Amino acid sequence: MSEHLSSRQIDECLLGESSPETRHHLRKCSACQAELARLQDRLASFRHTIRAWSDQQLPVHTRSDWEVKPMRSKPFSKLSLAIVAVACLVLALLFPRQKSQPIAPSPADAALLSEIDAEVSRTVPGPMEPLTEFVLSDSSTQHAAGQSARKEARP
Amino acid sequence: MEQTARSQMIMGLEEKFAEISGDFEALVALYRPRIFRYALASLRDRDAAETVTQDCFLNAYRSRDRFRGECSAQTWLMQIAVNLVRDYARNRRFQFWKRTRHDPLEDMGYQAADQKPSAETRMLLGEQVQAIWNTAAMLPEKQRTVFLLRFVEDMDLLEIAAVTGMKEGTVKTHLFRSLRTVRERIGANL
């Protein structure tokens, strides 16, 4: 065996798995004893700290806690997700439907529209309407003159 | 004397549990702190640890008919807890938005194993405990599990093997590897 224990041998001592030779060396070697004691002390401090922390963090327990809470927590989260999904679906269905519905015009709008239609469908603008009589009479005169000329030209 | 009475009470409770007619609430009261501690040290999240603890007892209660008393009630409950912690940690890997980490030294400071350390020793030990805590978080899942069961829960190799379902040799290998990693990370501090 070398002068001092190896890290592996120290670890074996920590786990209670040391060989008789290791234990024999440990009894005689104060340096290895100190090394092992230092490690044991650090790990014991780690254990004490975690245990004290856990005791501090442990929630106050009531009789029905373990029976009720797990039943509530998981289904509730699934249920809330389902509600949100359904709400989104309903909103998605409602909004396009509202847009696609035909808008019923108000009576005033309808009157205005019919006025515009009438205005647009006129062949001659309103102020020029009196002149149309002349145009119509001229065209009827020309038509009559043309017919008489054709009659004269016939043998 | 007091310890003997406590051991007798534990044995009595376990017998009751094996008969599947005992007071389950008494069993919860007895082992809840331990299950919670293991879950908290593994997950580092108080809410998650509480959920795992409750699920552990709920699963135990539902499957109490299958408990044949081949191992102690403590081993059986720890088996359930180890599986739940493993599943929870794996699921949480994908839930990055839920990650909350608690730190014992931030929450309450260092608790010395030695009764009255000097201020200087206290500071040094606090740093070393913090280093072990940080290193444990970086260990692979199986190494971390056996490390916590050994050095927080103070279980022996056979108990750890029973709880984790590993062979004793495998437990030993994981423990040696975890100790080596802790040494390497902490270096001269340890």
Side-chain angles (χ1 to χ4, degrees), chain A:
Chain A
M1 188 174 280
S2 63
E3 197 179 343
H4 290 296
L5 295 176
S6 66
S7 297
R8 171 81 181 197
Q9 286 168 320
I10 295 281
D11 290 348
E12 283 171 356
C13 294
L14 272 175
L15 300 178
E17 296 286 309
S18 55
S19 65
E21 290 108 25
T22 303
R23 286 196 294 273
H24 180 69
H25 174 87
L26 205 57
R27 275 194 292 274
K28 291 192 298 182
C29 181
S30 57
C32 290
Q33 280 175 20
E35 170 71 4
L36 179 62
R38 195 161 51 241
L39 271 167
Q40 284 171 331
D41 186 46
R42 302 304 177 262
L43 290 165
S45 295
F46 174 68
R47 176 163 53 243
H48 276 257
T49 303
I50 302 301
R51 288 184 170 201
W53 177 55
S54 171
D55 290 344
Q56 187 203 45
Q57 297 285 314
L58 186 67
V60 178
H61 177 55
T62 57
R63 192 171 176 82
S64 57
D65 271 359
W66 67 273
E67 290 173 317
V68 178
K69 281 192 176 177
M71 295 294 286
R72 274 185 190 166
S73 60
K74 281 184 179 176
F76 179 73
S77 58
K78 283 178 186 170
L79 184 68
S80 59
L81 276 176
I83 289 170
V84 170
V86 168
C88 289
L89 193 66
V90 167
L91 286 174
L93 290 173
L94 276 181
F95 275 107
R97 192 175 289 176
Q98 280 177 354
K99 280 180 184 174
S100 63
Q101 278 174 353
I103 300 163
S106 67
D109 290 343
L112 181 64
L113 275 171
S114 59
E115 259 181 52
I116 291 167
D117 279 346
E119 196 68 31
V120 168
S121 62
R122 279 181 184 166
T123 50
V124 179
M128 294 176 72
E129 262 182 2
L131 297 173
T132 53
E133 288 173 21
F134 295 109
V135 174
L136 284 171
S137 60
D138 281 354
S139 64
S140 60
T141 317
Q142 281 173 4
H143 183 70
Q147 277 186 342
S148 59
R150 275 198 293 275
K151 279 178 185 174
E152 284 169 7
R154 280 179 192 164

Side-chain angles (χ1 to χ4, degrees), chain B residues 65-81:
Chain B
D65 294 344
R66 279 176 273 155
F67 180 71
R68 298 183 193 286
E70 288 164 353
C71 59
S72 69
Q74 178 182 285
T75 302
W76 186 57
L77 289 169
M78 283 302 283
Q79 279 174 353
I80 298 171

Side-chain angles (χ1 to χ4, degrees), chain A residues 10-12 14 17 39 42 47 49-51 53-54 57-59 61 63 66 69-71, chain B residues 24-25 32 36-37 46 54-55 62 104 107-108 111 125 128 133 150-152 157 172 183 190:
Chain A
I10 295 281
D11 290 348
E12 283 171 356
L14 272 175
E17 296 286 309
L39 271 167
R42 302 304 177 262
R47 176 163 53 243
T49 303
I50 302 301
R51 288 184 170 201
W53 177 55
S54 171
Q57 297 285 314
L58 186 67
H61 177 55
R63 192 171 176 82
W66 67 273
K69 281 192 176 177
M71 295 294 286
Chain B
F24 193 75
E25 184 64 26
R32 184 169 161 270
F36 177 79
R37 184 171 63 222
R46 185 179 182 270
Q54 288 171 354
D55 286 354
R62 283 174 180 165
D107 287 350
M108 58 178 296
Q111 302 292 306
L125 283 172
Q128 290 168 344
W133 176 250
R150 179 72 184 90
F151 294 110
V152 176
L157 297 181
K172 216 185 286 184
R183 274 178 193 282
L190 196 69

